[in-house]
Coordinates of all heavy atoms in Angstrom, one line a residue:
A27 N 261.9 51.3 193.6 CA 262.9 50.2 193.2 C 263.7 50.7 192.0 O 265.0 50.5 192.1 CB 262.2 48.9 192.9
W28 N 263.1 51.3 191.0 CA 263.9 51.8 189.9 C 264.8 52.9 190.4 O 266.0 53.0 189.9 CB 262.9 52.3 188.8 CG 261.9 51.3 188.3 CD1 260.6 51.6 188.1 CD2 262.1 50.0 187.8 NE1 259.9 50.5 187.6 CE2 260.9 49.5 187.4 CE3 263.3 49.2 187.7 CZ2 260.7 48.3 186.8 CZ3 263.1 47.9 187.1 CH2 261.8 47.5 186.7
L29 N 264.3 53.8 191.2 CA 265.2 54.9 191.7 C 266.4 54.3 192.4 O 267.5 54.8 192.2 CB 264.4 55.8 192.7 CG 265.1 56.9 193.3 CD1 265.8 57.8 192.3 CD2 264.2 57.7 194.2
A30 N 266.2 53.3 193.2 CA 267.4 52.7 193.9 C 268.4 52.2 192.9 O 269.7 52.3 193.1 CB 266.9 51.6 194.9
G31 N 267.9 51.6 191.9 CA 268.8 51.1 190.9 C 269.6 52.1 190.2 O 270.8 52.0 189.9
Y32 N 268.9 53.2 189.8 CA 269.5 54.3 189.0 C 270.5 55.0 189.9 O 271.5 55.5 189.5 CB 268.4 55.3 188.5 CG 267.6 54.7 187.3 CD1 266.3 54.7 187.4 CD2 268.3 54.3 186.2 CE1 265.5 54.3 186.3 CE2 267.6 53.8 185.1 CZ 266.2 53.8 185.2 OH 265.5 53.3 184.1
E33 N 270.2 55.1 191.2 CA 271.1 55.8 192.1 C 272.4 55.0 192.2 O 273.5 55.6 192.5 CB 270.5 56.1 193.5 CG 269.4 57.2 193.4 CD 268.8 57.5 194.7 OE1 268.7 56.6 195.6 OE2 268.3 58.6 194.9
R34 N 272.3 53.7 192.2 CA 273.5 52.9 192.1 C 274.3 53.0 190.8 O 275.5 53.2 190.8 CB 273.2 51.4 192.4 CG 272.8 51.1 193.8 CD 272.7 49.6 194.0 NE 271.8 48.9 193.1 CZ 270.5 48.6 193.3 NH1 270.0 49.0 194.5 NH2 269.8 48.0 192.4
D35 N 273.5 53.0 189.7 CA 274.1 53.0 188.4 C 275.0 54.3 188.1 O 276.0 54.2 187.4 CB 273.1 53.0 187.3 CG 272.3 51.6 187.2 OD1 272.9 50.6 187.8 OD2 271.3 51.5 186.6
Q36 N 274.5 55.4 188.7 CA 275.2 56.6 188.4 C 276.7 56.6 188.8 O 277.5 57.4 188.2 CB 274.5 57.8 189.0 CG 274.6 57.8 190.5 CD 273.7 58.9 191.2 OE1 273.6 60.0 190.6 NE2 273.2 58.7 192.4
W37 N 277.1 55.8 189.8 CA 278.4 55.8 190.3 C 279.3 54.8 189.5 O 280.5 54.7 189.9 CB 278.4 55.5 191.8 CG 277.7 56.6 192.5 CD1 276.5 56.4 193.2 CD2 278.0 58.0 192.7 NE1 276.1 57.6 193.7 CE2 277.0 58.6 193.4 CE3 279.1 58.8 192.2 CZ2 277.0 59.9 193.8 CZ3 279.1 60.1 192.6 CH2 278.1 60.7 193.3
L38 N 278.7 54.1 188.6 CA 279.6 53.1 187.8 C 280.6 54.0 187.0 O 280.3 55.1 186.6 CB 278.7 52.3 186.8 CG 277.7 51.3 187.5 CD1 276.8 50.7 186.4 CD2 278.5 50.2 188.2
A39 N 281.7 53.3 186.6 CA 282.7 54.0 185.7 C 282.0 54.2 184.3 O 281.1 53.5 183.9 CB 283.9 53.1 185.6
P40 N 282.5 55.2 183.6 CA 281.9 55.5 182.3 C 281.8 54.2 181.4 O 280.8 54.1 180.7 CB 282.8 56.5 181.7 CG 283.4 57.2 182.9 CD 283.5 56.2 183.9
E41 N 282.9 53.4 181.3 CA 282.8 52.2 180.5 C 281.8 51.2 180.9 O 281.2 50.5 180.1 CB 284.2 51.6 180.4 CG 284.8 51.1 181.6 CD 285.6 52.1 182.5 OE1 285.5 53.3 182.1 OE2 286.3 51.7 183.4
Q42 N 281.5 51.2 182.3 CA 280.5 50.3 182.8 C 279.1 50.7 182.4 O 278.2 49.9 182.1 CB 280.6 50.1 184.3 CG 281.9 49.4 184.8 CD 282.0 49.4 186.3 OE1 282.1 50.5 186.9 NE2 282.0 48.2 186.9
I43 N 278.9 52.0 182.4 CA 277.6 52.6 182.0 C 277.4 52.4 180.6 O 276.3 52.0 180.1 CB 277.6 54.1 182.4 CG1 277.4 54.3 183.9 CG2 276.4 54.8 181.7 CD1 277.4 55.7 184.4
R44 N 278.5 52.5 179.7 CA 278.3 52.3 178.3 C 277.9 50.8 178.0 O 277.1 50.5 177.2 CB 279.6 52.7 177.6 CG 279.8 54.2 177.4 CD 280.9 54.5 176.5 NE 282.2 54.1 176.9 CZ 283.0 54.8 177.6 NH1 282.7 56.1 178.0 NH2 284.2 54.4 178.0
A45 N 278.6 49.9 178.8 CA 278.2 48.5 178.6 C 276.8 48.2 179.0 O 276.1 47.4 178.4 CB 279.3 47.6 179.4
L46 N 276.4 48.8 180.2 CA 275.0 48.6 180.6 C 274.0 49.2 179.6 O 273.0 48.5 179.3 CB 274.9 49.3 182.0 CG 273.4 49.3 182.6 CD1 273.0 47.9 182.9 CD2 273.4 50.1 183.9
Q47 N 274.3 50.3 179.1 CA 273.4 51.0 178.1 C 273.3 50.1 176.8 O 272.2 49.8 176.3 CB 274.0 52.3 177.7 CG 273.2 53.1 176.7 CD 273.9 54.3 176.3 OE1 275.0 54.3 175.8 NE2 273.3 55.5 176.4
L48 N 274.5 49.5 176.4 CA 274.4 48.7 175.2 C 273.7 47.4 175.4 O 272.9 47.0 174.5 CB 275.9 48.4 174.7 CG 276.0 47.5 173.5 CD1 275.4 48.2 172.3 CD2 277.5 47.2 173.2
Q49 N 273.8 46.8 176.6 CA 273.1 45.6 176.9 C 271.6 45.9 176.9 O 270.8 45.1 176.2 CB 273.5 45.1 178.3 CG 272.6 43.9 178.8 CD 272.8 43.7 180.3 OE1 273.9 43.9 180.8 NE2 271.7 43.3 180.9
R50 N 271.1 47.0 177.5 CA 269.7 47.3 177.5 C 269.2 47.6 176.1 O 268.1 47.3 175.7 CB 269.5 48.5 178.4 CG 269.7 48.0 179.9 CD 269.6 49.2 180.9 NE 269.7 48.7 182.3 CZ 269.7 49.5 183.4 NH1 269.8 50.8 183.2 NH2 269.8 48.9 184.5
L51 N 270.1 48.3 175.3 CA 269.7 48.6 173.9 C 269.5 47.3 173.1 O 268.6 47.2 172.3 CB 270.8 49.5 173.3 CG 270.6 49.9 171.8 CD1 269.3 50.6 171.6 CD2 271.8 50.7 171.3
Q52 N 270.5 46.4 173.2 CA 270.4 45.2 172.4 C 269.1 44.4 172.8 O 268.5 43.8 171.9 CB 271.6 44.3 172.6 CG 272.9 45.0 172.0 CD 274.2 44.2 172.3 OE1 274.3 43.7 173.4 NE2 275.1 44.2 171.3
D53 N 268.8 44.3 174.1 CA 267.5 43.7 174.5 C 266.3 44.4 173.8 O 265.4 43.7 173.3 CB 267.3 43.8 176.0 CG 268.4 42.9 176.7 OD1 269.0 42.0 176.1 OD2 268.6 43.2 178.0
L54 N 266.3 45.7 173.8 CA 265.2 46.4 173.1 C 265.2 46.2 171.6 O 264.1 46.0 171.0 CB 265.3 47.9 173.4 CG 264.3 48.8 172.8 CD1 262.9 48.5 173.3 CD2 264.6 50.3 173.1
L55 N 266.3 46.1 171.0 CA 266.4 45.9 169.5 C 265.9 44.5 169.2 O 265.1 44.3 168.2 CB 267.8 46.0 169.1 CG 268.4 47.4 169.0 CD1 269.9 47.4 168.8 CD2 267.7 48.3 168.0
R56 N 266.2 43.5 170.0 CA 265.6 42.1 169.7 C 264.1 42.1 169.8 O 263.4 41.5 169.0 CB 266.2 41.1 170.7 CG 267.7 40.8 170.3 CD 268.2 39.6 171.1 NE 268.4 39.9 172.6 CZ 269.5 40.4 173.1 NH1 270.5 40.6 172.3 NH2 269.6 40.7 174.3
H57 N 263.6 42.8 170.8 CA 262.2 43.0 171.1 C 261.5 43.6 169.8 O 260.5 43.2 169.3 CB 261.9 43.7 172.3 CG 260.5 44.2 172.5 ND1 259.5 43.3 172.9 CD2 259.9 45.4 172.3 CE1 258.3 44.0 172.9 NE2 258.5 45.3 172.5
C58 N 262.1 44.7 169.3 CA 261.6 45.4 168.2 C 261.5 44.6 166.9 O 260.6 44.6 166.2 CB 262.4 46.7 167.9 SG 262.2 48.0 169.2
E59 N 262.6 43.8 166.8 CA 262.7 42.9 165.6 C 261.6 41.9 165.6 O 261.0 41.5 164.6 CB 264.0 42.3 165.5 CG 264.3 41.4 164.3 CD 265.7 40.9 164.3 OE1 266.1 40.2 165.3 OE2 266.5 41.2 163.4
Q60 N 261.3 41.4 166.8 CA 260.3 40.3 166.9 C 258.9 40.7 167.1 O 257.9 40.0 166.6 CB 260.7 39.4 168.1 CG 262.0 38.7 168.0 CD 262.5 38.1 169.3 OE1 261.7 37.9 170.3 NE2 263.8 37.8 169.4
H61 N 258.7 41.9 167.7 CA 257.3 42.3 168.1 C 256.7 43.6 167.6 O 255.6 43.9 167.9 CB 257.2 42.2 169.7 CG 257.6 40.9 170.2 ND1 256.8 39.8 170.1 CD2 258.7 40.5 171.0 CE1 257.3 38.8 170.7 NE2 258.5 39.2 171.3
V62 N 257.6 44.4 167.0 CA 257.1 45.8 166.5 C 257.0 45.8 165.0 O 258.0 45.7 164.3 CB 258.0 46.9 167.0 CG1 257.4 48.3 166.6 CG2 258.2 46.8 168.5
P63 N 255.8 45.9 164.4 CA 255.6 45.7 163.0 C 256.4 46.7 162.2 O 257.0 46.3 161.1 CB 254.1 46.0 162.8 CG 253.5 45.6 164.1 CD 254.5 45.9 165.1
W64 N 256.5 48.0 162.6 CA 257.3 48.9 161.8 C 258.7 48.5 161.7 O 259.3 48.5 160.5 CB 257.2 50.3 162.5 CG 258.1 51.3 161.9 CD1 259.3 51.7 162.4 CD2 258.0 51.9 160.6 NE1 259.9 52.7 161.5 CE2 259.1 52.8 160.4 CE3 257.0 51.9 159.6 CZ2 259.3 53.6 159.3 CZ3 257.2 52.7 158.5 CH2 258.3 53.5 158.3
Y65 N 259.4 48.1 162.7 CA 260.8 47.8 162.7 C 261.0 46.4 161.9 O 262.0 46.3 161.1 CB 261.5 47.8 164.0 CG 261.4 49.1 164.7 CD1 260.6 49.3 165.8 CD2 262.1 50.2 164.2 CE1 260.5 50.5 166.5 CE2 262.1 51.4 164.8 CZ 261.2 51.6 165.9 OH 261.1 52.8 166.6
R66 N 260.1 45.5 162.2 CA 260.2 44.2 161.5 C 260.2 44.4 160.0 O 260.9 43.8 159.3 CB 259.0 43.4 162.0 CG 259.1 41.9 161.7 CD 258.2 41.1 162.6 NE 256.8 41.6 162.5 CZ 256.0 41.6 163.5 NH1 256.4 41.1 164.7 NH2 254.7 42.0 163.4
R67 N 259.3 45.2 159.5 CA 259.1 45.4 158.1 C 260.3 46.3 157.5 O 260.9 45.9 156.5 CB 257.8 46.1 157.8 CG 257.6 46.5 156.3 CD 256.2 47.0 156.1 NE 255.8 48.2 156.8 CZ 256.1 49.4 156.4 NH1 256.8 49.6 155.3 NH2 255.8 50.5 157.1
R68 N 260.6 47.4 158.2 CA 261.6 48.3 157.6 C 263.0 47.6 157.6 O 263.7 47.8 156.7 CB 261.6 49.6 158.4 CG 260.5 50.6 158.2 CD 260.6 51.1 156.8 NE 261.6 52.1 156.7 CZ 262.4 52.3 155.6 NH1 262.2 51.5 154.5 NH2 263.4 53.2 155.6
W69 N 263.3 47.0 158.7 CA 264.6 46.4 158.8 C 264.8 45.3 157.8 O 265.8 45.0 157.2 CB 264.9 45.8 160.2 CG 265.0 46.9 161.2 CD1 265.0 48.3 161.0 CD2 265.2 46.8 162.6 NE1 265.2 49.0 162.2 CE2 265.3 48.1 163.2 CE3 265.2 45.6 163.5 CZ2 265.4 48.3 164.6 CZ3 265.4 45.8 164.9 CH2 265.5 47.1 165.4
R70 N 263.7 44.5 157.5 CA 263.7 43.5 156.5 C 264.0 44.1 155.1 O 264.8 43.6 154.3 CB 262.4 42.7 156.5 CG 262.5 41.5 155.6 CD 261.1 40.7 155.6 NE 260.7 40.3 156.9 CZ 259.6 40.8 157.5 NH1 258.7 41.6 156.8 NH2 259.2 40.4 158.6
E71 N 263.3 45.3 154.8 CA 263.5 46.0 153.6 C 265.0 46.5 153.4 O 265.5 46.5 152.4 CB 262.6 47.2 153.5 CG 261.1 46.8 153.4 CD 260.2 48.0 153.5 OE1 260.7 49.1 153.9 OE2 259.0 47.8 153.4
L72 N 265.6 46.9 154.6 CA 266.9 47.5 154.5 C 268.0 46.5 154.8 O 269.2 46.8 154.8 CB 267.0 48.6 155.6 CG 266.1 49.8 155.4 CD1 266.1 50.7 156.6 CD2 266.6 50.6 154.2
G73 N 267.6 45.2 155.0 CA 268.6 44.2 155.3 C 269.3 44.3 156.6 O 270.5 44.0 156.7
I74 N 268.6 44.8 157.6 CA 269.1 45.0 159.0 C 268.6 43.9 159.9 O 267.4 43.5 159.9 CB 268.7 46.4 159.5 CG1 269.3 47.5 158.7 CG2 269.1 46.5 161.0 CD1 268.7 48.9 159.0
A75 N 269.5 43.4 160.8 CA 269.1 42.4 161.8 C 269.6 42.9 163.1 O 270.7 43.6 163.3 CB 269.7 41.1 161.5
A76 N 268.8 42.7 164.2 CA 269.2 43.2 165.5 C 270.6 42.6 165.9 O 271.3 43.3 166.6 CB 268.1 42.8 166.5
A77 N 270.9 41.4 165.5 CA 272.1 40.8 165.9 C 273.3 41.5 165.3 O 274.4 41.3 165.8 CB 272.1 39.3 165.4
D78 N 273.1 42.3 164.3 CA 274.2 43.1 163.6 C 274.6 44.3 164.5 O 275.6 44.8 164.2 CB 273.8 43.6 162.2 CG 273.5 42.4 161.3 OD1 274.1 41.3 161.5 OD2 272.7 42.6 160.4
I79 N 273.8 44.7 165.4 CA 274.0 45.9 166.2 C 274.9 45.5 167.4 O 274.3 45.0 168.4 CB 272.7 46.6 166.6 CG1 271.8 46.8 165.4 CG2 273.0 47.9 167.3 CD1 272.4 47.6 164.3
R80 N 276.2 45.6 167.3 CA 277.1 45.1 168.4 C 277.7 46.3 169.1 O 278.4 46.1 170.1 CB 278.1 44.3 167.8 CG 277.6 43.0 167.2 CD 278.8 42.1 166.7 NE 278.3 40.9 166.1 CZ 278.0 40.8 164.8 NH1 278.2 41.8 164.0 NH2 277.6 39.6 164.3
S81 N 277.5 47.6 168.7 CA 278.0 48.7 169.3 C 277.1 49.9 169.0 O 276.2 49.9 168.1 CB 279.4 49.0 168.8 OG 279.4 49.4 167.3
L82 N 277.4 51.0 169.7 CA 276.6 52.3 169.4 C 277.0 52.8 168.0 O 276.2 53.5 167.4 CB 276.9 53.3 170.5 CG 276.3 53.0 171.9 CD1 276.6 54.1 172.8 CD2 274.8 52.8 171.7
D83 N 278.2 52.5 167.5 CA 278.5 52.9 166.2 C 277.7 52.2 165.1 O 277.2 52.8 164.1 CB 280.0 52.7 165.9 CG 280.9 53.7 166.6 OD1 280.5 54.8 166.9 OD2 282.1 53.3 166.8
D84 N 277.4 50.9 165.4 CA 276.5 50.1 164.6 C 275.1 50.7 164.6 O 274.4 50.8 163.6 CB 276.4 48.7 165.0 CG 277.8 47.9 164.8 OD1 278.5 48.4 163.9 OD2 278.0 46.9 165.4
Y85 N 274.7 51.1 165.8 CA 273.3 51.6 166.0 C 273.2 52.9 165.3 O 272.1 53.2 164.8 CB 273.1 51.8 167.5 CG 271.7 52.2 167.9 CD1 270.6 51.4 167.6 CD2 271.5 53.4 168.7 CE1 269.3 51.8 167.9 CE2 270.2 53.8 169.0 CZ 269.1 53.0 168.6 OH 267.8 53.4 169.0
A86 N 274.2 53.7 165.2 CA 274.1 55.0 164.6 C 273.9 54.9 163.0 O 273.6 55.9 162.4 CB 275.4 55.8 164.8
R87 N 274.0 53.7 162.5 CA 273.7 53.5 161.0 C 272.3 53.2 160.8 O 271.9 53.1 159.6 CB 274.6 52.4 160.5 CG 276.1 52.8 160.4 CD 276.9 51.8 159.6 NE 277.3 50.6 160.3 CZ 278.4 50.5 161.0 NH1 279.2 51.5 161.1 NH2 278.6 49.4 161.7

Side-chain angles (χ1 to χ4, degrees):
W28 303 130
L29 176 58
Y32 286 128
E33 287 182 333
R34 289 192 302 270
D35 291 347
Q36 67 183 330
W37 300 111
L38 295 173
E41 61 272 15
Q42 292 176 301
I43 289 180
R44 287 193 292 270
L46 177 63
Q47 182 189 56
L48 181 60
Q49 174 196 324
R50 291 174 175 172
L51 175 62
Q52 289 172 326
D53 291 342
L54 178 62
L55 291 170
R56 285 191 291 270
H57 168 79
C58 290
E59 184 176 59
Q60 296 169 16
H61 300 292
V62 183
W64 170 256
Y65 299 111
R66 194 162 53 214
R67 176 172 61 82
R68 286 290 291 145
W69 292 355
R70 189 182 304 121
E71 293 170 353
L72 296 170
I74 295 170
D78 297 333
I79 310 301
R80 298 184 179 91
S81 67
L82 289 178
D83 287 339
D84 293 337
Y85 186 58
R87 289 194 281 270

